[in-house]
């Protein structure tokens, strides 16, 4: 039904439809929203999108960096260089940074092992993680994955290949979230909470 | 939590967050998606967004046009210039065009009367509609609105101000959609279908 529209619109609708989670109808809403904006707004948006090209990934941890070399965590002399928190993507880094409780470095895998979606270990940045463990004298690896199936797969796989390297490996604690009510907790969370109970 | 990110990212996240229906988390997903794309893709997207500036609205019906003057429907000598279908936004024009059953012109109001969202008749392109009726010798106005409350409000308002001009005014038929089952129809749809029953 979009062939009634000028090419400028159909092109951009097609482009926005490739964004994650965006279908043609939402893409068209975006374009109509932009049509209502003035020239300055359009120029600013186009410019900000072009700025993306200034960014690259940190050579060590694959976090985003603006200087083409190391990211601000890897370059920070105050961070503990012996502890590496392994995460699948950037939003998890931000969630952990928001706690201010972790002062080590990160390693962004770029995904989780998920055969059903065609993601195998070969698609993740595991080689660079192994190289760091060997070359940088890493002492502890924290596997900070969601406890869904791909997360558990990834934890299992990484544990198997990291164990022979004789370093400390840990995973995030599973249990009841703050403010939750025992009576409404799902059985798997409750099992994890029981299994990981702490002596007082 | 986004202050841990480079300015190039937070700026663009902020920009995408202003898109309709997009929150900060989705905006960040968009930016991460763009970060994974090559320079050509980024240039193409930025260019297509800038192309939006080539578009303007038809002076008559407020549809999108590339020539700054009349849209392809208003400029088409084959269309019936005496019948105007009044719609609130562009997607409705496309839905009607997809039927190939309407050969008149359109008038895009730019919204519906919805006091709860702060949209009054003064925010809609009603003056240009009245001018068309007077100057272009319009014979029939079809009010093609959704049958929700703002749609009904708009139909009521337009009927009241168009009636004195002595032209034919109609609205789209309400009734059972194709393939629907009577037993599951909601009472309001069923009432409309009974009220608008057609003699055979």
């Amino acid at each position: 039904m979009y062939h009634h529209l000028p090419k400028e619109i159909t092109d951009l609708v097609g482009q926005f439809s490739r964004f994650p989670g965006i279908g043609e109808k939402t893409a068209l809403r975006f374009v109509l929203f932009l049509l209502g904006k003035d020239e300055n707004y359009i120029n600013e948006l186009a410019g900000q999108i072009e700025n993306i090209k200034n960014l690259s990934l940190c050579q060590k941890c694959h976090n985003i960096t603006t200087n083409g070399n190391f990211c601000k965590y890897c370059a920070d002399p105050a961070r503990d260089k012996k502890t590496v928190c392994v995460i699948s993507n950037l939003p998890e880094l931000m969630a952990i940074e928001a706690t201010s409780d972790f002062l080590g470095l990160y390693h962004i895998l770029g995904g989780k092992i998920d055969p059903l979606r065609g993601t195998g270990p070969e698609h993740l940045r595991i080689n660079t993680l192994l190289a760091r463990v060997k070359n940088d004298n890493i002492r502890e690896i924290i596997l900070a994955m969601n406890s869904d199936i791909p997360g558990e797969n990834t934890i299992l796989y990484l544990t198997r290949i990291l164990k022979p390297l004789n370093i400390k490996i840990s995973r995030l604690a599973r249990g009841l979230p703050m403010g939750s009510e025992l009576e409404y907790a799902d059985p798997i969370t409750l099992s994890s909470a029981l299994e990981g109970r702490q002596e007082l």
Side-chain angles (χ1 to χ4, degrees), chain A:
Chain A
M1 102 192 214
Y2 297 109
H3 59 270
H4 302 292
L5 294 172
K7 194 176 174 315
E8 284 88 342
I9 297 216
T10 50
D11 282 353
L12 194 52
V13 166
Q15 200 69 270
F16 281 139
S17 307
R18 293 159 73 181
F19 277 35
I22 299 303
E24 272 200 332
K25 289 215 168 192
T26 309
L28 180 65
R29 278 179 68 206
F30 288 177
V31 176
L32 294 180
F33 163 82
L34 291 179
L35 272 169
K37 296 288 170 185
D38 62 13
E39 202 162 314
N40 289 338
Y41 183 95
I42 300 294
N43 289 340
E44 196 186 340
L45 174 62
Q48 285 170 340
I49 286 173
E50 289 195 313
N51 279 343
I52 286 277
K53 291 185 290 185
N54 299 337
L55 300 173
S56 57
L57 297 184
C58 173
Q59 296 171 10
K60 227 173 229 318
C61 75
H62 313 291
N63 182 21
I64 291 158
T65 171
T66 42
N67 64 20
N69 202 356
F70 293 125
C71 77
K72 64 176 190 176
Y73 304 115
C74 290
D76 183 349
R79 309 271 309 197
D80 166 15
K81 304 272 192 285
K82 306 295 175 203
T83 309
V84 171
C85 180
V86 178
I87 48 177
S88 60
N89 277 309
L90 185 67
E92 289 144 31
L93 183 154
M94 291 189 296
I96 294 171
E97 277 301 299
T99 68
S100 307
D101 273 342
F102 180 70
L103 295 170
L105 301 185
Y106 293 95
H107 190 89
I108 302 183
L109 289 177
K112 289 180 280 192
I113 296 173
D114 192 354
L116 291 178
R117 294 186 179 203
T119 313
E122 70 278 13
H123 298 108
L124 304 181
R125 297 152 184 157
I126 293 176
N127 288 339
T128 48
L129 176 63
L130 292 176
R132 287 177 77 179
V133 171
K134 283 170 192 160
N135 303 334
D136 295 358
N137 199 17
I138 304 294
R139 295 215 196 101
E140 178 173 0
I141 297 271
I142 303 169
L143 301 174
M145 308 282 149
N146 295 341
S147 35
D148 51 8
I149 304 281
E152 296 293 332
N153 280 344
T154 312
I155 288 175
L156 274 173
Y157 182 87
L158 288 178
T159 307
R160 213 177 59 215
I161 59 165
L162 289 169
K163 262 287 185 243
L165 302 175
N166 261 326
I167 47 164
K168 194 172 158 190
I169 307 169
S170 59
R171 61 177 291 166
L172 296 185
R174 286 165 297 176
L176 297 165
M178 275 299 280
S180 66
E181 302 210 35
L182 205 67
E183 105 183 74
Y184 299 119
D186 69 286
I188 297 174
T189 300
L190 207 46
S191 294
S192 306
L194 272 171
E195 195 189 319
R197 66 189 180 278
Q198 289 162 324
E199 225 170 298
L200 300 173

